[in-house]
């Protein structure tokens, strides 16, 4: 199964091996026809309706604004419904540096997102700390705080790169199973169990 | 003019021929209910798409164009996603009221939706206080918003719902008064009667000056009623994150979202009913040939066309004007719209008494 | 500057002059408050604007350097005060009663150096958590991550602040004071909030829709740039300038390059200077465009954002052709600029100058003239000239209050003295004035560009600079104009390849600090209007 989107040839994508691995995992145990087609319908809906949370801490956030503007127009893909309340958003574009003081807030925002939720680490700072890695007050990548689905490198990444990043996320959503054993959510649970928030139950 | 009542009569007759009367009424109710829900959902989805495309056009963008042809399926994808989104259960909230609020909002808009005259012979129930009923049920919505804000146990939602309460209560007055102005002209509160009265000429032409004033006031107040920009204070994004529905997720939020768009349709539908003749085609007294040609366009198209056109104006407001502040919003209503409205009502009565209308 | 220091010493005999390339006045802490009052109130001195407080750690002493400016005589003077007390509890007397902005500046110094200011009404940390261990800008700060681990646990919150005083034995006493009244309804706005333009947090006590008090929390994007710079060679410190106020990337870069060039005695070519000034003004237009867009979006007119971004995209195209990036350009370097101009630079700038007036006219038609917009902005958040100076609100926000504080005019640097442009000063001081001021500044910047675009001289774009740059021992202070106001830089060198201390005085910190003052008694919605019209950039506040 070649996972791609409208007017993108399969070979134009990078990281196809990763998606192929996901597809293999997905089909490992076979699928019920009815459940499988329902899954397909739901995945079609999900992968085409990715609403971001308006969350930006620094420079990358401005490029995210440009992404919404007329030149790059993320509305074409249906991503323009930026919700300010995390409960209504689907993914978080972590655009900018996350510092010590922001970490609890950031983690809480992630916890407030409604399932299914995704995270894109956008820009050097979010991926690894970037140019501020050696600072006393900067978290060295958000990968230690929340599970990350897509990394978009750059400082800041160009809007085109962000579009590509969200399209990759959309592709990932397409190879998920909603009914019966969600492959991705298991990993998410493992991650969250390994990185608990103290003082919070459930 | 095509009369759609043959459809309903035929359905009624054929049902009655195969089952007892009480059963056929039940089946009819069910059919109408399902039909309404379907139209409701489809219309809401269309409106979401419509607004997104329009907003894109105002902003020199393209808008959704990847999902389906011209992005037509975008809002369907959104709906599928919303349906399976997690509904978050919160601690320290009033669970019953929290769950009740979105249903109240959507039921209010559905009830109002049911009275609209869709076409010649396409009205679910036409009773003598139709327009009164419409105004009464549409104000249940504010209850849902107040409950949502209160039960979420969140300061933003609380402020949002308080604002909303103040706003709705105020603007309800303007809506009511401008509706009364038109009811005076029509001489009836029945929705069907109001439409029939406009057979010769739409009310906006018939009642000239006071009707135009009432129309403008209605459009302003209607925009405020639907919580849309420039009156979108209850959910002012830059002030209160998402206003009264900040804490709602999944389909609960979806209800608010759908109701918001449907209210837009209802407000513009009522405006077209009161001022632009509802489903009535454009008729001018004496222009028989013209009137006849107009009759060839089906009444459903007339109604929906007018409503969509008026919604365009409301959407245009939203994407052009900045937002008002709460005190400015209230002073606009109490200091300007309400006095103008009262004077306008008197003017209308004078015109009717003296027969100065067309 | 020497004659000012002499004058001060004559008026205040307890003070002495510190000789050096940048002469300063120094005074003992016990007499510091008296000197400060004299500096502010004396008719001949009138130092009414506190530019910045530079906290210093000279290993054997802790202390502060206060940079003061007189808005009447356009003179700048530095005052050096050494902290009393032990290294564990050093203290200096506060000047918060003289300059309102000092409350915030002193909190910053306390945060970084642990110097307690006696008499400051709000002595909490400004950027770091309450429970942060150590004072990061001290030279002996322990950077062990185990001491201050990344924690997902919510930080400790308190409704109290500390006030320090001296008892009769000269010991520092701490007292807790409530920030809000006991039964205030406090709404937390931020750090994740669409209107704070990033991650700023206001704890807002409201009475219905009316604002009673705002407590400002910064530090949600504090990245420790000043500390990082101390461990990097001079050319490496430059790239941080792009990432503070990312709209003034060129301006800030330019400023630091100039300072280092001044310290190292490097002369740069005229071509490089012209290029730098053109880039500054281009980014000023782009920055103001984005201000207009986001501000209108805050007020609910989303569509304006897209119209404003159209011009910004055009400018970014020009930049991209020359610098190769859209945002963090890293273009100016010590000795000139990185690359020569792109071949069609002149043509592109001319095209921009042609469309700009049309666009500004369009913005005015759509937004400025709108009755709702006028009602929202006129008379909202009035900042008087005196307050603007006392709170150190510079840039277009300060100029809208009638304070002519354009550093390009006051201390003309680079080639600004030869250029013909007007300093936009308005007197209303409300949000509308701040908005209009920026609109008109765009026109002035376009005027500068029009003067330069046909007169870019030939020559080398970058002079030869030694690979390993060492600055002589000394200290330098410089004020330039960023897109948002006066950008101060203080550099102290101990003769090494790395700066001993690089203090960045951003324009946005005072602009955020003044929000509490001008929002009192206004509506919640006005907080958005006022915050938007101040146009602060949060990474610039936090550094």
């Amino acid at each position: 199964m070649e996972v791609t989107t409208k007017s993108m040839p399969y070979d134009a994508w990078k990281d196809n091996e990763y998606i192929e691995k996901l597809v293999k995992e997905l089909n490992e145990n076979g699928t019920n026809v009815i459940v499988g087609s329902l899954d397909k319908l739901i995945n079609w809906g999900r992968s085409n309706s990715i609403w971001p949370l308006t969350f930006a801490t620094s420079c990358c956030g401005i490029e995210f604004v440009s992404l919404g503007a007329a030149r790059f127009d993320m509305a074409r893909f249906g991503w323009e419904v930026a919700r300010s309340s995390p409960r209504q958003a689907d993914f978080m574009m972590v655009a900018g540096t996350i510092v010590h003081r922001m970490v609890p807030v950031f983690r809480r925002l992630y916890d407030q997102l409604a399932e299914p939720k995704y995270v894109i680490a956008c820009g050097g700072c979010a991926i690894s700390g970037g140019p501020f890695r050696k600072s006393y007050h900067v978290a060295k990548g958000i990968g230690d705080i929340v599970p990350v689905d897509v990394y978009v490198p750059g400082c800041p990444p160009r809007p085109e790169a962000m579009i590509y990043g969200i399209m990759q996320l959309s592709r990932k959503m397409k190879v998920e199973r909603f009914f019966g054993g969600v492959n991705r959510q298991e990993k998410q649970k493992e991650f969250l169990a390994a990185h608990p928030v103290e003082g919070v139950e459930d | 003019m095509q009369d759609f009542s043959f459809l309903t009569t035929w359905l009624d007759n054929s049902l009655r021929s195969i089952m007892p009367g009480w059963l056929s009424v039940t089946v009819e109710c069910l059919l109408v209910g399902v039909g309404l829900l379907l139209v409701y959902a489809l219309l809401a989805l269309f409106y979401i798409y419509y607004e997104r495309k329009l907003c894109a056009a105002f902003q020199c963008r393209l808008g959704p164009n990847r999902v389906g042809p011209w992005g037509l399926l975008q809002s369907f994808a959104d709906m599928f996603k919303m349906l399976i989104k997690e509904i978050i259960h919160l601690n320290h909230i009033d669970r019953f009221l929290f769950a009740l609020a979105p249903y109240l909002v959507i039921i209010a808009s559905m009830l109002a939706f049911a009275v609209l005259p869709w076409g010649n012979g396409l009205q679910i129930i036409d009773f003598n206080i139709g327009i009164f009923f419409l105004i009464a049920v549409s104000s249940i919505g504010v209850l849902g918003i107040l409950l949502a804000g209160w039960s979420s146990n969140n300061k933003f939602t609380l402020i949002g719902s308080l604002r909303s309460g103040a706003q709705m209560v105020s603007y309800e007055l303007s809506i009511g008064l401008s509706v009364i102005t038109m009811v005076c002209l029509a001489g009836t509160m029945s929705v069907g009667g109001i439409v029939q009265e406009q057979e010769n000429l739409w009310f906006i032409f018939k009642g000239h000056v006071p009707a135009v004033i009432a129309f403008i006031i209605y459009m302003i107040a209607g925009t405020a009623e639907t919580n849309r920009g420039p009156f979108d204070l209850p959910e002012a994004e830059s002030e209160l994150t998402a206003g009264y529905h900040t804490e709602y997720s999944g389909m609960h939020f979806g209800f608010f979202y759908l109701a918001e768009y449907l209210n837009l349709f209802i407000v513009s539908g009522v405006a077209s009913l009161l001022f632009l003749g509802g489903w009535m085609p454009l008729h001018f007294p004496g222009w028989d040939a013209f009137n006849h040609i107009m009759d060839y366009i089906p009444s459903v198209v007339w109604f929906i066309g007018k409503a969509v056109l008026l919604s365009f104006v409301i959407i245009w407001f939203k994407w052009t004007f900045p937002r008002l502040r709460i005190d400015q919003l209230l002073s606009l209503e109490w200091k300007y719209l309400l006095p103008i409205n009262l004077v306008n009502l008197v003017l209308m009565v004078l015109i009717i008494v003296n027969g100065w209308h067309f | 500057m020497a004659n000012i220091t002499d004058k001060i010493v004559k008026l205040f005999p307890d003070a002495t002059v510190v000789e050096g390339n940048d002469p300063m006045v120094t005074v003992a802490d016990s007499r510091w408050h008296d000197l400060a009052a004299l500096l502010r109130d004396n008719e001949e001195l009138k130092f009414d604007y506190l530019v910045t407080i530079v906290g210093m750690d000279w290993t054997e002493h802790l202390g502060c350097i206060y940079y003061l400016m007189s808005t009447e005589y356009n003179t700048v003077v530095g005052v050096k005060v050494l902290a009393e007390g032990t290294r564990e509890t050093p203290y200096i007397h506060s000047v918060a009663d003289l300059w309102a902005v000092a409350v915030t500046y002193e909190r910053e110094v306390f945060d970084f150096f642990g110097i307690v200011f006696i008499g400051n009404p709000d002595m909490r940390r400004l950027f770091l958590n309450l429970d942060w261990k150590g004072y990061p800008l001290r030279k002996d700060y322990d950077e062990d991550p185990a001491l201050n681990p990344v924690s997902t646990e919510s930080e400790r919150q308190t409704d109290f602040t500390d006030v320090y005083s001296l008892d009769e034995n000269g010991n520092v006493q701490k007292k807790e004071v409530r920030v809000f009244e006991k039964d205030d309804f406090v709404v937390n706005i931020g750090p994740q909030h669409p209107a704070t333009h990033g991650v700023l947090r206001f704890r807002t006590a409201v009475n219905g829709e009316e604002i009673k008090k705002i407590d400002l929390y910064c530090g949600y994007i504090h990245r420790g740039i000043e500390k990082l710079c101390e461990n990097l060679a001079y050319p490496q410190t430059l790239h941080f300038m792009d990432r503070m106020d990312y709209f003034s990337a060129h301006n800030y870069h330019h400023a630091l390059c100039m300072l280092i060039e001044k310290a190292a005695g490097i002369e740069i070519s005229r071509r490089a200077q012209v290029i730098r000034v053109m880039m500054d003004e281009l980014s000023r237009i782009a920055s103001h465009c984005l201000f207009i867009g986001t501000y209108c979006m805050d007020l609910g007119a989303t569509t304006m954002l897209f119209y404003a971004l159209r011009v910004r995209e055009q400018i970014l195209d020009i930049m991209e052709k020359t610098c190769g990036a859209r945002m963090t350009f890293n273009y100016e370097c010590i000795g000139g600029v990185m690359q020569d101009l792109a071949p069609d630079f002149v043509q592109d700038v001319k095209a921009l100058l042609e469309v700009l007036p049309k666009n500004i006219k369009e913005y005015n038609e759509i937004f400025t003239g709108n009755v709702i917009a006028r009602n929202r902005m006129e008379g909202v958040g009035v900042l008087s000239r005196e307050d603007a100076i006392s709170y150190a609100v510079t840039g277009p926000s300060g100029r809208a209050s009638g304070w002519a504080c354009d550093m390009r005019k006051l201390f003309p640097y680079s080639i600004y003295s030869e250029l013909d442009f007007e300093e936009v000063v308005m007197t209303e001081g409300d949000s509308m004035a701040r908005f209009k001021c920026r609109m008109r500044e765009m026109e002035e910047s376009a005027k500068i560009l029009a003067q330069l675009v046909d007169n870019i001289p030939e020559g080398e774009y970058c002079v030869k600079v030694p690979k390993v740059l060492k600055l002589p021992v000394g200290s330098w202070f410089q004020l330039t104009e960023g897109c948002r106001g006066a950008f101060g830089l203080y550099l102290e060198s101990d003769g090494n390849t790395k700066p001993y201390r690089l203090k960045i005085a951003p324009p946005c910190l005072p602009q955020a600090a003044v929000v509490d003052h001008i929002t009192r008694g206004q509506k919640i919605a006005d907080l958005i209007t006022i915050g938007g019209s101040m146009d602060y950039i949060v990474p610039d506040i936090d550094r």
Side-chain angles (χ1 to χ4, degrees):
Chain A
M1 187 169 78
E2 291 192 342
V3 187
T4 181
T5 54
K6 202 173 181 177
S7 63
M8 270 290 274
Y10 187 65
D11 299 327
W13 293 99
K14 283 187 175 165
D15 299 314
N16 276 334
E17 320 78 62
Y18 177 76
I19 295 285
E20 272 156 23
K21 204 182 92 206
L22 283 182
V23 173
K24 217 174 129 203
E25 254 172 59
L26 186 75
N27 294 333
E28 223 159 36
N29 300 323
T31 333
N32 184 317
V33 177
I34 300 168
V35 172
S37 352
L38 256 177
D39 259 346
K40 261 193 188 152
L41 183 68
I42 285 167
N43 284 344
W44 170 80
R46 278 207 309 210
S47 60
N48 281 313
S49 157
I50 316 177
W51 294 359
L53 172 73
T54 40
F55 177 78
T57 57
S58 50
C59 337
C60 299
I62 305 304
E63 286 297 69
F64 194 61
V65 173
S66 303
L67 180 59
R71 162 128 7 137
F72 301 100
D73 191 19
M74 60 180 174
R76 290 176 295 149
F77 305 87
W79 305 332
E80 90 276 35
V81 197
R83 304 302 312 177
S84 312
S85 167
R87 307 225 184 264
Q88 297 149 11
D90 297 309
F91 80 102
M92 213 171 162
M93 191 92 167
V94 187
T97 325
I98 298 295
V99 301
H100 276 58
R101 198 172 193 180
M102 194 63 198
V103 166
V105 183
F106 168 59
R107 176 58 190 255
R108 184 185 286 193
L109 278 171
Y110 175 78
D111 289 339
Q112 280 176 340
L113 283 170
E115 290 283 354
K117 51 189 171 190
Y118 304 86
V119 174
I120 294 182
C122 179
C125 298
I127 294 170
S128 67
F132 307 103
R133 192 176 165 80
K134 285 186 181 155
S135 167
Y136 55 88
H137 200 243
V138 171
K140 286 150 194 67
I142 58 164
D144 300 334
I145 308 161
V146 297
V148 180
D149 292 287
V150 178
Y151 291 93
V152 182
C155 189
R158 296 178 58 92
E160 293 95 324
M162 292 187 181
I163 292 181
Y164 180 71
I166 308 178
M167 278 164 88
Q168 286 279 24
L169 177 66
S170 153
R171 218 154 66 110
K172 246 181 126 173
M173 288 177 172
K174 277 190 181 145
V175 290
E176 254 171 41
R177 192 177 296 170
F178 184 71
F179 288 109
V182 181
N183 45 1
R184 181 181 157 277
Q185 272 188 0
E186 290 304 317
K187 282 178 200 158
Q188 195 181 334
K189 263 186 204 138
E190 276 166 33
F191 181 93
L192 294 180
H195 299 84
V197 179
E198 284 155 57
V200 178
E201 291 153 34
D202 185 17
Chain B
M1 192 184 341
Q2 203 171 9
D3 193 345
F4 285 96
S5 55
F6 76 92
L7 229 161
T8 44
T9 351
W10 169 78
L11 193 72
D12 186 47
N13 288 340
S14 49
L15 275 177
R16 272 172 204 278
S17 63
I18 52 168
M19 54 182 79
W22 62 269
L23 193 60
S24 65
V25 171
T26 321
V27 170
E28 274 166 26
C29 281
L30 273 177
L31 278 178
V32 166
V34 170
L36 260 187
L37 275 181
L38 210 68
V39 174
Y40 187 94
L42 284 178
L43 211 60
L45 291 181
F46 165 73
Y47 257 71
I48 294 172
Y49 172 74
Y50 180 57
E51 157 138 52
R52 282 165 82 169
K53 269 294 196 196
L54 273 184
C55 143
F58 286 131
Q59 297 171 350
C60 326
R61 297 184 286 125
L62 288 171
N65 69 354
R66 307 276 295 191
V67 191
W70 308 290
L72 270 171
L73 297 179
Q74 183 62 55
S75 39
F76 287 90
D78 285 343
M79 190 194 65
F80 276 120
K81 192 237 11 217
M82 206 111 82
L83 276 173
I84 53 134
K85 221 41 194 154
E86 180 194 12
I87 293 180
I88 297 178
H89 294 280
L90 303 167
N91 294 331
H92 314 298
I93 57 162
D94 191 327
R95 270 159 207 273
F96 174 67
L97 295 183
F98 186 75
L100 180 69
Y103 292 97
L104 267 183
V105 170
I106 204 139
I107 284 173
S109 76
M110 259 181 203
L111 281 175
F113 192 66
V115 209
L116 293 177
W118 287 93
N120 193 2
L122 272 187
Q123 198 184 350
I124 292 155
I125 189 162
D126 183 14
F127 55 119
N128 54 358
I129 51 158
I131 196 82
F132 181 67
F133 174 79
L134 203 144
I135 289 177
V137 291
S138 65
S139 52
I140 298 177
V142 69
L143 218 76
I145 289 175
L146 279 175
L147 283 185
W150 170 253
S151 64
S152 303
N153 192 15
N154 176 321
K155 287 170 182 169
F156 283 122
T157 62
L158 185 63
I159 295 177
S161 68
L162 285 178
R163 280 180 176 188
S164 172
Q167 177 179 337
M168 293 247 189
V169 167
S170 316
Y171 279 84
E172 204 97 306
L173 271 175
S174 273
I175 290 214
L177 278 172
S178 51
V179 168
I180 289 177
T181 315
M182 298 323 287
V183 166
C184 282
L185 186 59
T188 170
M189 273 205 201
S190 139
V191 171
I194 291 175
V195 176
Q196 282 305 331
E197 280 293 312
Q198 309 187 49
E199 195 168 1
N200 298 328
L201 195 59
W202 291 352
F203 277 169
I204 195 157
F205 304 122
K206 206 173 191 174
H208 49 89
V209 177
V212 170
I213 294 174
F215 178 66
I216 292 169
I217 290 177
Y218 182 86
M219 285 308 275
I220 294 174
T223 315
E225 264 298 278
T226 46
N227 289 337
R228 292 187 63 81
F231 307 103
D232 55 348
L233 288 104
E235 43 193 306
E237 200 153 271
S238 53
E239 294 155 33
L240 305 173
T241 55
Y244 58 87
H245 57 60
T246 303
E247 295 286 351
Y248 283 90
S249 68
M251 208 51 214
H252 277 168
F253 161 66
F255 283 161
F256 285 116
Y257 197 60
L258 290 184
E260 187 193 323
Y261 284 96
L262 242 290
N263 284 336
L264 178 59
F265 177 79
I266 290 167
V267 162
S268 30
V270 174
S272 74
L273 160 72
L274 286 173
F275 301 97
L276 303 180
W279 49 259
M280 191 61 76
L282 183 58
H283 288 166
F284 287 105
W287 297 17
D288 286 336
F290 176 79
N291 294 349
H292 199 66
I293 294 169
M294 286 292 139
D295 282 348
Y296 277 107
I297 303 173
S299 47
V300 179
V301 175
W302 274 108
F303 180 71
I304 295 185
K306 283 172 200 168
V308 167
L309 202 72
L310 288 178
S311 320
F312 170 78
V313 177
I314 297 182
I315 291 172
W316 193 1
F317 285 164
K318 169 159 181 171
W319 296 108
T320 309
F321 293 129
R323 186 181 300 124
L324 272 83
R325 209 170 54 200
I326 184 77
D327 56 328
Q328 294 166 352
L329 178 101
L330 294 180
S331 67
L332 171 70
E333 163 64 21
W334 293 98
K335 285 189 185 159
Y336 301 97
L337 293 188
L338 189 63
I340 294 174
N341 227 333
L342 287 169
V343 172
N344 192 37
L345 181 59
V346 175
L347 188 66
M348 181 58 108
V349 171
L350 280 177
I351 282 180
I352 293 165
V353 168
N354 293 314
W356 288 337
H357 58 83
F358 293 116
Chain C
M1 223 185 265
N3 46 3
I4 305 163
T5 48
D6 292 343
K7 202 191 253 173
I8 294 169
V9 172
K10 209 182 284 166
L11 287 165
F12 197 84
D14 285 355
T16 45
V17 178
V18 190
E19 297 296 339
N21 56 343
D22 178 23
M24 283 181 226
V25 178
T26 183
V27 72
D29 173 54
S30 54
R31 301 287 289 135
W32 160 229
H33 193 274
D34 297 332
L35 174 64
L38 177 94
L39 287 174
R40 193 189 69 158
D41 297 329
N42 190 292
E43 281 302 317
E44 288 172 52
L45 301 170
K46 282 239 168 216
F47 285 102
D48 45 2
Y49 163 37
L50 175 61
V51 183
T52 187
I53 303 178
V54 186
M56 287 297 302
D57 179 7
W58 290 285
T59 54
E60 69 272 27
H61 295 291
L62 289 164
C64 288
I65 301 170
Y66 294 74
Y67 273 97
L68 300 165
M69 189 180 130
S70 157
T71 55
E72 208 167 313
Y73 306 112
N74 289 340
T75 45
V76 175
V77 72
V79 183
K80 187 168 158 183
V81 183
L82 293 186
E84 297 283 324
T86 58
R87 205 172 163 83
E88 280 68 49
T89 52
Y91 66 87
I92 292 181
H93 279 82
S94 166
V95 288
D97 51 337
L98 299 171
W99 294 281
V101 72
V103 179
T104 318
Y105 283 164
E106 287 172 357
R107 278 180 70 185
E108 182 192 320
V109 174
F110 171 65
D111 201 352
F112 289 157
F113 292 93
I115 301 174
V116 159
F117 288 84
I118 306 292
N120 186 312
D122 184 6
M123 201 77 274
R124 279 172 297 172
R125 281 184 178 268
L126 184 65
F127 295 125
L128 303 175
N129 288 347
L130 290 173
D131 300 323
W132 192 268
K133 291 184 192 73
Y135 299 100
L137 256 68
R138 285 194 186 180
K139 291 288 172 189
D140 54 358
Y141 174 66
D142 187 0
E143 282 199 44
D144 185 5
L147 274 177
N148 293 299
V150 178
S151 162
T152 47
E153 204 176 343
S154 294
E155 61 181 289
R156 185 163 66 83
Q157 302 284 330
T158 172
D159 279 339
F160 292 92
T161 180
D162 303 326
V163 174
Y164 293 86
S165 57
L166 279 186
D167 63 7
E168 55 273 18
N169 303 328
N171 294 324
V172 179
Q173 298 291 326
K174 184 166 145 182
K175 202 176 85 193
E176 286 201 326
V177 183
R178 268 191 183 278
V179 179
F180 296 108
E181 281 166 42
K182 226 172 181 176
D183 44 0
D184 275 347
F185 184 79
V186 181
V187 181
N188 187 42
I189 298 180
Q192 205 280 318
H193 190 276
T196 51
H197 292 212
V199 279
L200 198 59
R201 177 170 164 218
F202 297 114
R203 288 187 75 205
T204 314
V206 289
N207 182 8
E209 285 262 347
E210 219 162 77
I211 294 172
K212 274 171 82 178
K213 187 181 180 180
I214 288 179
D215 190 21
L216 174 75
Y217 283 72
C218 320
Y220 290 93
I221 183 78
H222 172 62
R223 301 181 282 201
I225 288 177
E226 288 174 19
K227 183 78 176 177
L228 283 171
C229 286
E230 288 175 14
N231 295 317
L232 292 173
Y234 288 105
Q236 290 176 312
T237 58
L238 284 170
H239 79 273
F240 288 125
M241 298 300 124
D242 283 347
R243 287 164 178 83
M244 289 193 306
D245 177 354
Y246 26 78
F247 300 119
S248 321
H250 281 302
N251 310 49
Y252 283 17
H253 235 95
H254 186 179
L256 186 56
C257 287
M258 263 190 337
L259 187 65
I260 295 172
E261 280 154 11
K262 189 165 82 183
I266 299 167
E267 279 281 322
I268 70 163
S269 71
R270 178 152 173 102
R271 182 179 174 82
Q273 280 186 338
V274 171
I275 294 175
R276 282 179 177 185
V277 167
M278 286 189 81
M279 285 298 176
D280 282 4
E281 296 309 317
L282 278 173
S283 50
R284 195 180 311 279
I285 297 175
S287 160
H288 288 350
C289 268
L290 199 97
F291 158 76
I292 291 164
T294 49
Y295 185 43
C296 296
M297 192 171 70
D298 284 348
L299 293 181
T302 323
T303 306
M304 271 291 283
L305 173 68
F306 295 86
Y307 293 167
L309 281 178
R310 206 164 46 188
V311 172
R312 191 177 120 86
E313 285 291 338
Q314 198 178 349
I315 296 172
L316 290 189
D317 278 349
I318 298 175
M319 303 243 185
E320 197 183 336
K321 275 186 192 166
T322 295
C323 320
R326 278 169 55 89
M327 277 199 68
T328 42
F329 309 104
N330 206 18
Y331 183 56
E332 285 86 355
C333 64
I334 298 165
V337 292
M338 281 277 183
Q339 309 98 10
D340 209 349
L341 289 173
D344 35 9
F345 179 79
V346 173
Q347 184 193 331
D348 287 346
V349 171
K350 279 182 180 164
L352 172 79
L353 292 178
E354 214 156 279
V355 295
L356 194 65
K358 286 182 209 149
N359 274 293
I360 292 177
K361 195 163 159 259
E362 190 186 42
Y363 301 153
N364 281 326
E365 274 169 9
I366 298 176
F367 190 76
T368 325
N370 187 310
V371 62
I372 302 177
R374 287 222 316 270
N375 277 331
R376 282 296 302 273
M377 299 198 291
E378 274 172 7
V380 169
V382 179
L383 180 67
S384 67
R385 185 174 185 272
E386 290 68 42
D387 282 345
I389 295 171
S390 176
Y391 277 94
V393 178
T394 52
S397 308
R399 291 196 278 279
S401 298
W403 175 24
C405 56
D406 194 332
M407 299 302 156
R408 293 173 296 174
K409 286 277 185 196
L410 295 182
F411 309 103
Y413 52 93
S414 198
I415 54 164
Y416 277 114
S417 53
E418 307 161 19
L419 296 170
D420 168 39
F421 68 102
E422 205 183 309
E423 182 176 2
V424 183
V425 180
M426 300 179 115
T427 47
E428 293 90 345
D430 57 0
S431 302
M432 190 56 148
R434 291 191 276 271
F435 178 79
K436 278 189 178 158
C437 192
R438 288 186 169 84
M439 279 284 207
R440 282 184 45 204
E441 271 191 16
M442 280 165 68
E443 287 165 14
E444 292 306 317
S445 291
K447 213 156 108 188
I448 296 177
L449 285 174
Q451 288 167 43
L452 290 177
V453 70
D454 283 325
N455 302 316
I456 304 174
E458 292 298 317
E460 50 179 356
Y461 58 86
C462 188
V463 296
K464 283 249 175 322
V465 177
K467 279 252 160 52
V468 180
L469 190 68
K470 271 190 186 170
L471 295 193
V473 181
S475 71
W476 297 268
F477 182 73
Q478 168 193 283
L479 276 168
T480 52
E481 184 76 10
C483 297
R484 278 163 188 76
F487 176 63
L489 277 173
Y490 173 84
L491 178 67
E492 182 157 338
S493 163
D494 56 356
N496 236 320
T497 54
K498 299 169 183 171
Y500 183 77
R501 170 99 169 94
L502 179 68
K503 159 76 189 174
I504 299 154
C508 293
L509 180 60
Q511 286 170 5
V514 79
V515 167
D516 173 40
H517 173 67
I518 55 177
T519 46
R520 296 239 172 141
Q522 310 258 16
K523 305 274 182 298
I524 297 182
D526 291 335
L527 168 63
I528 314 303
T529 316
I530 292 165
S533 70
M534 280 293 162
D535 192 24
Y536 41 71
I537 296 296
V538 184
D540 191 40
I541 298 173
D542 288 352
R543 281 155 285 146

